[in-house]
Amino acid sequence: MNYPLASTTWDEREYEALQRVIESGIFTMGKKVAEFEQEFARFVGSNHAVMVNSGSSANLLMVAALRYRSNAPILPGTEVIVPAVSWSTTYYPLYQYGLKLRFVDVDAETLNYDLEQLEGAITPATKVIMVVNLLGNPNDFAAINKIVEGRDILLLEDNCESLGALFDGKQAGTFGLMGSYSSFFSHHISTMEGGLITTDDEELYHILLCLRAHGWTRNLPKENHVAPMSDNPFEESFRFILPGYNVRPLEMSGAIGLEQLKKLPDMVLERRRNAEKFRDLMEKYPFLRIQREIGQSSWFGFAFTVKSDMGYDRRQIIAAMNKSGIEVRPIVAGNFTKNEAMTWFDYSIYGELKNANELDRHGFFIGNHHYPMNEELNLLELVLKKIDK
């Protein structure tokens, strides 16, 4: 591809980090994972971070932890509001824990919650709002906090696509009770596979540690909020207290994460510089609507919605881009409620999902990268000029 969706952010530092782990002979979760968790928590400004094997697993543990907390656990049948446009594993853990999903439309420009629709969708049964920061763009958390003010509603954040995004100077992923992140290849940092959950709540942190590895006590501190522990390591080695998983990360992933985190500020800065050039370019082509930034996006990619009323067709545009070597994808999963997987869900839909349907029919996105993209954006302009004859 002349203009790929994603590219490697590794150099010799990541490969040297891998080699040090190989030489140590310790490959499963160990000291480097713990060090990366500490540095990641410090970077985003949270008290705690727990690394897992993917962003999808991060969402799974985040939802599971609410089920097992001591005070007001989130039980099966509880209503959770979700945006109609997101990735599949935003929704699956909610279904898997028996929660009732209530789908709400997104804003046509920001691609995040339509705030008017969000406020209207809340019912007396609503106990959780899953906030998804889409394609690097943080939600308007000032407005969302006003909507939930005085209500018994928790905020969770799926921030898997938006590491490094800021709203009012605060890192996206840290506005809710917990936030999830992904360090898959195509995301802002890459640890091969990987994900994290952040929280300031110590009890939830201990629950996450337990759930990550089999539901056993072995990884808990002696003083914790989950279970009293003996001083006998033999007794504690195979003691299971929660129905957990094995979603531990590799030690290699933690070591790579430490190197990636050092680069992250500059990589996000370069993505923002590219976005400025992209926005300037797109002013010439009004038949495509682009994503409107909230706060400071970390610009995962560049999203478009084709204005079909102006006589343009998404299929023709995508074909022209593919022919020129520009890699194209749908805007996440489009309107997720169209999928056959919905037959398994307990759910309701608020309103008509007008904007989600429009994104599904007319939307697509292309990549952004951590390096200057003058050549790629010049190629994009050449394609758009041919289309806009």
Side-chain angles (χ1 to χ4, degrees), residues 295-314:
Q296 291 179 269
S297 175
S298 55
W299 291 98
F300 179 91
F302 299 139
F304 305 84
T305 306
V306 181
K307 296 181 181 178
S308 57
D309 59 346
M310 295 180 68
Y312 294 86
D313 185 272
R314 181 175 69 173

Side-chain angles (χ1 to χ4, degrees), residues 65-127:
L66 291 181
R67 173 65 181 83
Y68 301 115
R69 66 180 189 165
S70 59
N71 181 38
I74 301 302
L75 300 174
T78 300
E79 183 176 271
V80 180
I81 289 180
V82 295
V85 178
S86 189
W87 191 245
S88 59
T89 49
T90 299
Y91 311 112
Y92 290 167
L94 301 168
Y95 152 72
Q96 288 156 353
Y97 274 83
L99 306 181
K100 182 172 183 177
L101 285 73
R102 185 160 171 80
F103 287 86
V104 172
D105 207 0
V106 296
D107 183 270
E109 295 184 351
T110 69
L111 312 187
N112 289 331
Y113 272 123
D114 180 316
L115 296 171
E116 183 176 334
Q117 294 291 302
L118 174 62
E119 185 167 17
I122 294 172
T123 75
T126 303
K127 295 300 178 185

Side-chain angles (χ1 to χ4, degrees), residues 130-281:
M130 177 69 84
V131 181
V132 180
N133 303 312
L134 209 73
L135 296 178
N137 204 22
N139 277 259
D140 184 342
F141 286 99
I144 291 174
N145 285 334
K146 285 183 180 178
I147 289 171
V148 300
E149 187 176 11
R151 304 175 188 257
D152 182 22
I153 296 176
L154 304 176
L155 296 184
L156 297 179
E157 275 183 86
D158 182 334
N159 198 54
C160 287
E161 294 179 345
S162 300
L163 177 58
L166 299 170
F167 183 80
D168 284 347
K170 182 177 170 67
Q171 288 279 340
T174 65
F175 287 87
L177 185 60
M178 290 178 280
S180 64
Y181 305 78
S182 172
S183 52
F184 178 63
F185 172 75
S186 61
H187 292 189
H188 292 80
I189 62 172
S190 171
T191 61
M192 300 187 286
E193 294 276 1
L196 297 106
I197 310 107
T198 59
T199 186
D200 289 339
D201 187 296
E202 191 171 58
E203 181 193 18
L204 289 173
Y205 171 58
H206 292 159
I207 293 170
L208 292 166
L209 291 176
C210 183
L211 290 171
R212 172 174 64 179
H214 310 292
W216 62 19
T217 60
R218 188 188 300 183
N219 301 119
L220 291 173
K222 178 65 170 22
E223 301 297 326
N224 68 80
H225 296 277
V226 183
M229 294 174 62
S230 72
D231 292 320
N232 187 327
F234 180 81
E235 291 178 354
E236 297 295 341
S237 60
F238 288 167
R239 180 183 166 210
F240 303 95
I241 55 174
L242 291 176
Y245 305 90
N246 180 8
V247 292
R248 292 174 297 190
L250 297 174
E251 184 73 345
M252 287 180 174
S253 294
I256 295 166
L258 286 166
E259 299 303 324
Q260 288 276 284
L261 204 54
K262 295 172 188 175
K263 300 177 180 180
L264 180 58
D266 287 339
M267 292 195 293
V268 171
L269 180 60
E270 201 60 59
R271 283 174 172 268
R272 288 180 177 142
R273 287 172 176 158
N274 291 335
E276 287 298 318
K277 296 173 186 175
F278 169 75
R279 288 190 293 197
D280 289 343
L281 167 62

